[in-house]
Structure formats: C-alpha cells, structure tokens
Amino acid sequence: RKQNSTLNRRTFFLYILKLFFFSGVSLRLYDIQISESKKYKTLSKNNQIDIEIIFPLRGEIFDRNNFLLATNKKVFDLFIIPEKTESINSTLNILSNFIEINFTKRRKIIDLSKKVKKFEKIKVAENLDWNTLEKIETNKFSIPGIKIEEDFLRVYPQNEFFSHLLGFINKPNQKELSLPYISKMPNLDIGKEGLEKFFNPELVGKAGQREVEVTSYGRVVREIAKQESQKGKNINITIDSRVQSYAINLLKPHRAGSIVIMNVQNGEVICMASIPTYNSNNIIKKPNSDYWNSLINNKLSPLTFRSIQGLYSPGSTFKMIVAIAALKYGIINENSKTFCKGKIEFGDRLYHCWKTKGHGEMDVTNAIKESCDVYFYELAKKLGIEKIAEVALDFGLGQKYDFELNNQKEGIVPSKKWKKNTKGESWYAGETLLAGIGQGFVLCNPLQLVVMTSIIASGGKIVEPTLLFKDNNDFKVFSKYSKEIEIVKKAMHKVVNEYKGTAYNSRLEDIEFSGKTGTSQVKRISLTERESADFRKKEKEWKNRDHALFVGYMPSIKPKYSISVVIDHGGSGAGTAAPIAKQIFNYI
C-alpha cells in the first residue's frame, strides 16, 4: 500500500506538471496562430518578399532658349555579390588589375560582406570609364561574383560657366532625410546648392518599386510586380547662356567679380556671372577630396556666389539714392547748387572729394554726372541717415528677395537703430557723410544693385527679380518718387553720353545707354597720400586697390535691360567696370 500510495502521489504531480506545461504551449500556440496571426503572417511574407526602390531620373535644366545646362549621363557601376564568389579576397585581387582598390577600400568591402545578406550586392566602383568597362566585361567570366549595372550621373555640359547658379548634387544629410520628397529614397542624390537645391521637389521625380520573391539568403527567385519610376520635372530658367558665357569670359582676366543683368520690364534675370568659379562636375566625381581642398584653401573663395553673397560698399552708385531722398524731402530742387572746392570740414575732420582741386559749382544732375563727393556730403549732412535709409530700403537695398536662390546676403542699410542694436554704439554725424557717398557701413550685393537700377530705369516700378517665366509681372509703381526718378535718369544719361561724365569714354555710338560709375574704397587713404600729386596714379598691390562698380540700363529711352558690374579691386568704376558694361550692352 505504501508503494502504491507513493506512486499515485508522484503520478499526480507529474500529471499536474504535464498539464501546466501543455497548457502553456497551447496558450502560446493560440497566441501565435490566432491572436497574433496577422502579425506573423506579415513577418513571414516580408521574409519571402523584398521591395526594391527604383530611383527616378532627375529632371533636366534648360536656359531660356532650351540650351541644356544640367542633364543625366548613363554610367556603369560595379558590384560584388559575396555568395557568388569563391572568396571575396580572390575576386578583389583579380579586379585590382583593372581598377584601384586600396587597403581601406578592400577592408570596407570585406567588413560589409559579413553584415549583409549573402546575395546582397556591395558597390565596388562607380562611373566606370569605357576603357575599364571593356576590360572587365571581356574578363567577366573569369571574375566570379561580380555584377555591372547601369546608373545615371548628373552632368553639367557648360562646366564652370553656370556652377554658382546651378550648384551640384550629393547624398542627403541626416536633416534632409526627413524631407517628404526623399523620405523613401535615402540614397538618392539631391541638390545641395543653387538651383539644384531650390528646385529639388520638382527635379527629384517619383520613385518606383520592384516586388521580388527572395530566399532567406537574399537570392531573388522571381519578380512579382513592378511599378516604374517617374522622371523629375524639367525646368526652364530665364538665363541666356550666350550672355552668361560672354560675361564670364569678360570677367576671367580679373581675379574676382560679378555681372548681373535683368530685364527691366518683367524682372527676368538673364545673366548672373561670378568669378572665381568652380566645376560642378569635379565635385560630383569621386574621389573629390583634392578638388574640394583646392576650393576651400583658395583665398579668393571660389564657392562664394558673389552675385548674391558678395557684399560691397556701393560707392558712388549709391548717390542716386541720396539724390532721390534730397529731392523728395525738399532739401534741394533740380537747380540747387553747391560749390565744390575739393573738400569740406566737418567736426574735427576733413572730408575729401575724389577730385583734389574740386568741381566748382554743381547742381544735382552734374554732381551725379561728374560724381562730386562734396555735393553729396552736403546733401547727407542736411538729410540725416534715417531719410537716406528709408529711400534705400524702398529701392531694394538691404533685403533678401523672394527669389529662386537660397543663401542671399541682405547687406546693410545703416541707421541709428541698426548701429545701436548691432554695435551697442551711438550714431555719429560724420558717419552720415560717409553713407552719403556709399561708404562707411553701407553694404549691398550685385543683385540688389541691379534691382535698384531697374526700379530707377522703369520709372519707379517695384521690379522683383526672377529666374522663372511668369505670366503676371504687373509690378506696383512708386508714384511718390516719379519726379525725382526722372531727374536722376537725366543725370545717369549725362554720365555716359556727355563730356566730363565719368563713363563718357564707354559710350556706344549705335545705341545710348545710361549709368553710374562707382569706386568703393577698401583702404583708408592718409592725408599725406591724398595731397600728393600722383597718389591716384601709383600702382598698388591688388588687395589694396578699390573695388570698381558700374550700374546702368539700356536703351536710355524705354529701357529694357539693367546691369550691375562689380570688379573686386578693379581700381575704378570708370576705368574697369564701365567698359565691361559697354561690351555687354553692345553684345546684347
């Protein structure tokens, strides 16, 4: 009985243990097969089905005459599939006879092969040239585990002529991965600068996908479905490639500078030239570290798009703003005269005119024509900085535009409030005199100068720059400045077309244009230098020369095109910038 009792008790406990175990298994099976069946069905399907993204072809960019500026070129990339090789090292050894595979690259490929699925491909080389491609294709059957696939490379046919304007493409950074148009395509090259960046949403296109059945090792068994990608939208811009190329070639003899040309009537920008430039093709081409370093270490900053990022004192080109302000606020009329004897004394300082012996008696049109500094010192002194700043802002200076290029520098239109906020200092009256001739704190970029000139040329239309063809270009008009603008336009005509005008030597015989020269001082001139008879004739080191500027429009009657020319350390507006404007107007 004792033995039976012990056996029955043990049997009971074993029964309970078995019951507990099988209950647990049953509950788990119920959980997997019924409660969470959808979840595991999806996981099972994903283990069989692979979704491959088909990258779209990037849209192309054309100029106003359908001249190709950015396109896509078919190229070939080389991959290795680890599972299909006898050994990755042996395949890489054979490939090294045709392409360069250094130790770092070899190590990276081997490390990747240990992390990816056996049949997943690893990129070894991209953009193979025809000679290399031919050699690899010829020996393909003796190189196990390799695969060659077609791809497309962004190409800029005009090389450096449009680099600042177009920018370039590259892989997205972490922040850009959240952008809606590339969220499903993390390896897609996108625009990083210029128009390529601004028009990313339109140029990128729409991804397609390929659904394939795969084994657990990643081997493709069959294609189930395929949806083709959609090419990005093509973009036509207002730039005229003929004028752009001509302008770049005119700038090349100079180390740095910018030319911007705009249609006065509709705001279309037809040229934005900036030097030094760079070649976007060399940035896209890999490896490119040597080229990048050459750009970054260049003291002239080739990556700077001077047309919108270069900030300069406008010099005498700013005198039209001061003249309009003085006429508007009744400080002067068209006939008011001031005598220039070459300098004026204000406070404990002398303010000099560029013409050492002075211009004599000047009215406003002749003061602009001959660029008399003393006349504008007197105007600025009577106006005050606030009124000058108000008019400057009205004419497009000191601001960013709703324009198809990012990274615009807004420059500076100084005022008492601006100086207090930025420098924590009070405004001095002498600083107003310097602002009156476009020096001191006043800074602007070449695009702002061409907008200012367009507003004047159009008789007061608030012209907005654009790189796109728009149906509605019905700009508002500054009726409050109409009389003042007409007086200034008369003066700008004299600058180019009358004897003693600062740009008289740059006039055209066939067609009249109007304008204003400017010389932006980069280094303070001592009293001893200024009063020496030949200080302007002495040859200076390049970096110590003044910037040369010219703004203008053509033709003088019913203007169509406005221009700003800025030559870094060009010496003088009359001697360097105005002749360039003449050549461009003649070419147009």
Side-chain angles (χ1 to χ4, degrees):
R1 281 196 209 100
K2 284 183 179 179
Q3 286 178 344
N4 285 337
S5 176
T6 303
L7 184 64
N8 288 337
R9 193 166 52 249
R10 288 176 180 173
T11 302
F12 177 76
F13 281 121
L14 281 170
Y15 176 77
I16 294 297
L17 188 64
K18 284 181 180 181
L19 184 65
F20 179 79
F21 175 77
F22 281 109
S23 295
V25 171
S26 299
L27 285 171
R28 183 60 183 148
L29 287 171
Y30 178 85
D31 201 34
I32 291 171
Q33 295 183 14
I34 297 174
S35 298
E36 297 186 22
S37 62
K38 287 184 179 180
K39 172 185 172 183
Y40 288 101
K41 187 177 180 181
T42 302
L43 288 171
S44 174
K45 185 180 178 183
N46 288 343
N47 198 36
Q48 302 173 51
I49 308 302
D50 210 358
I51 303 296
E52 295 179 358
I53 300 297
I54 303 173
F55 287 172
L57 194 60
R58 193 171 177 84
E60 296 172 303
I61 302 176
F62 299 84
D63 84 337
R64 67 185 303 115
N65 300 309
N66 289 319
F67 193 80
L68 195 58
L69 305 180
T71 186
N72 308 292
K73 174 187 174 185
K74 187 185 286 187
V75 294
F76 297 90
D77 298 338
L78 175 65
F79 297 87
I80 190 168
I81 302 170
E83 184 65 17
K84 291 186 176 181
T85 64
E86 294 174 3
S87 83
I88 289 183
N89 258 318
S90 62
T91 298
L92 291 175
N93 286 337
I94 300 171
L95 285 175
S96 62
N97 295 317
F98 310 111
I99 59 174
E100 184 183 349
I101 303 176
N102 57 33
F103 177 79
T104 305
K105 192 171 186 179
R106 180 186 289 262
R107 189 75 265 158
K108 185 178 178 182
I109 293 168
I110 293 170
D111 288 344
L112 269 173
S113 70
K114 296 173 183 176
K115 297 175 184 176
V116 301
K117 290 181 180 179
K118 292 183 178 181
F119 285 93
E120 193 169 332
K121 60 193 181 190
I122 301 168
K123 185 179 283 188
V124 178
E126 58 187 6
N127 309 335
L128 297 175
D129 60 70
W130 280 106
N131 189 39
T132 305
L133 181 66
E134 184 182 28
K135 289 177 182 176
I136 294 173
E137 282 283 6
T138 304
N139 295 277
K140 190 175 180 180
F141 295 104
S142 62
I143 315 173
I146 66 164
K147 185 177 183 181
I148 293 172
E149 290 188 358
E150 287 183 0
D151 196 3
F152 286 89
L153 176 69
R154 197 64 164 173
V155 175
Y156 304 95
Q158 300 306 304
N159 297 318
E160 76 275 10
F161 286 95
F162 291 86
S163 291
H164 288 115
L165 195 61
L166 297 173
F168 51 87
I169 64 172
N170 213 327
K171 292 286 183 287
N173 56 36
Q174 200 62 39
K175 184 180 178 181
E176 290 165 335
L177 286 174
S178 62
L179 295 170
Y181 53 85
I182 62 158
S183 58
K184 295 180 181 178
M185 302 178 285
N187 291 318
L188 180 71
D189 286 339
I190 63 168
K192 307 294 277 189
E193 291 291 342
L195 295 177
E196 290 277 31
K197 181 177 181 178
F198 186 87
F199 289 115
N200 258 331
E202 291 85 359
L203 290 168
V204 161
K206 189 176 180 181
Q209 66 178 35
R210 180 171 173 252
E211 195 173 335
V212 292
E213 186 178 349
V214 295
T215 66
S216 58
Y217 291 110
R219 183 196 290 271
V220 175
V221 177
R222 65 189 177 96
E223 183 178 276
I224 298 170
K226 186 177 183 181
Q227 180 186 355
E228 295 291 351
S229 61
Q230 294 177 19
K231 182 186 173 184
K233 181 183 175 184
N234 290 341
I235 304 289
N236 275 78
I237 60 173
T238 60
I239 295 291
D240 190 314
S241 58
R242 299 166 298 176
V243 179
Q244 176 83 6
S245 301
Y246 186 78
I248 289 284
N249 285 327
L250 285 178
L251 287 173
K252 277 184 177 179
H254 308 278
R255 297 188 195 181
S258 167
I259 297 171
V260 183
I261 304 167
M262 191 165 88
N263 188 316
V264 171
Q265 298 167 2
N266 55 26
E268 291 174 3
V269 177
I270 67 166
C271 171
M272 291 189 83
S274 173
I275 64 157
T277 186
Y278 60 90
N279 192 331
S280 297
N281 294 310
N282 291 342
I283 288 179
I284 291 174
K285 187 179 178 182
K286 304 292 189 305
N288 61 6
S289 57
D290 290 342
Y291 187 68
W292 260 116
N293 290 334
S294 71
L295 295 177
I296 293 167
N297 295 326
N298 189 326
K299 292 180 180 179
L300 294 176
S301 302
L303 293 170
T304 300
F305 191 4
R306 281 170 164 76
S307 299
I308 58 171
Q309 296 173 327
L311 294 179
Y312 305 86
S313 296
S316 294
T317 63
F318 192 71
K319 288 174 180 175
M320 282 95 72
I321 297 297
V322 180
I324 289 169
L327 289 163
K328 174 65 183 172
Y329 287 102
I331 303 298
I332 57 166
N333 58 40
E334 191 174 357
N335 300 313
S336 300
K337 291 183 171 60
T338 295
F339 190 84
C340 169
K341 58 180 181 180
K343 57 189 173 185
I344 65 167
E345 190 174 345
F346 187 71
D348 59 353
R349 184 178 167 186
L350 286 174
Y351 292 81
H352 293 265
C353 185
W354 70 267
K355 193 172 184 179
T356 309
K357 294 182 180 179
H359 290 91
E361 200 166 62
M362 290 272 112
D363 60 23
V364 65
T365 55
N366 283 318
I368 292 174
K369 169 187 166 181
E370 298 185 40
S371 203
C372 175
D373 293 331
V374 166
Y375 189 91
F376 287 93
Y377 289 145
E378 294 289 357
L379 290 191
K381 187 166 61 173
K382 294 171 185 175
L383 269 169
I385 192 61
E386 301 304 322
K387 291 184 175 67
I388 294 173
E390 179 192 334
V391 176
L393 291 169
D394 279 347
F395 280 77
L397 303 182
Q399 57 192 278
K400 294 179 181 179
Y401 306 121
D402 183 14
F403 189 52
E404 296 81 16
L405 288 171
N406 301 305
N407 302 325
Q408 296 174 53
K409 294 283 183 71
E410 64 183 29
I412 298 171
V413 172
S415 63
K416 293 177 182 178
K417 184 180 178 181
W418 168 84
K419 192 180 179 191
K420 197 72 177 175
N421 289 343
T422 57
K423 299 184 178 295
E425 299 174 0
S426 299
W427 184 266
Y428 297 107
E431 292 167 339
T432 304
L433 270 67
L434 292 176
I437 61 165
Q439 294 283 166
F441 294 116
V442 186
L443 290 175
C444 55
N445 65 48
L447 178 63
Q448 292 170 342
L449 287 175
V450 86
V451 170
M452 174 194 78
T453 307
S454 297
I455 294 172
I456 294 170
S458 64
K461 283 185 181 180
I462 309 172
V463 184
E464 297 173 2
T466 180
L467 285 165
L468 292 177
F469 299 96
K470 296 179 180 177
D471 296 330
N472 182 18
N473 293 109
D474 189 18
F475 301 120
K476 294 179 181 178
V477 179
F478 274 137
S479 55
K480 63 179 179 178
Y481 294 122
S482 55
K483 292 179 182 178
E484 293 78 11
I485 286 173
E486 287 308 309
I487 294 170
V488 167
K489 286 178 72 174
K490 189 190 298 182
M492 291 175 73
H493 180 266
K494 288 184 174 186
V495 169
V496 180
N497 300 287
E498 282 191 10
Y499 176 65
K500 287 189 177 181
T502 53
Y504 181 66
N505 291 333
S506 296
R507 66 194 181 281
L508 283 170
E509 292 181 6
D510 297 333
I511 187 167
E512 288 187 346
F513 68 94
S514 302
K516 181 71 189 80
T517 58
T519 302
S520 173
Q521 192 175 311
V522 299
K523 186 181 178 183
R524 187 170 180 177
I525 303 169
S526 68
L527 185 62
T528 305
E529 286 177 315
R530 191 177 291 278
E531 293 183 348
S532 64
D534 62 343
F535 90 97
R536 290 191 182 277
K537 298 177 183 178
K538 288 181 180 177
E539 183 65 28
K540 298 178 185 176
E541 189 180 355
W542 181 80
K543 66 180 181 179
N544 292 329
R545 296 177 197 164
D546 298 335
H547 297 318
L549 299 92
F550 181 86
V551 298
Y553 56 86
M554 174 197 79
S556 293
I557 299 172
K558 295 183 179 178
K560 187 170 183 182
Y561 297 109
S562 60
I563 191 170
S564 73
V565 180
V566 181
I567 306 298
D568 292 32
H569 307 291
S572 76
T576 306
I580 290 174
K582 171 188 175 178
Q583 287 176 273
I584 289 177
F585 279 152
N586 190 51
Y587 180 74
I588 290 174

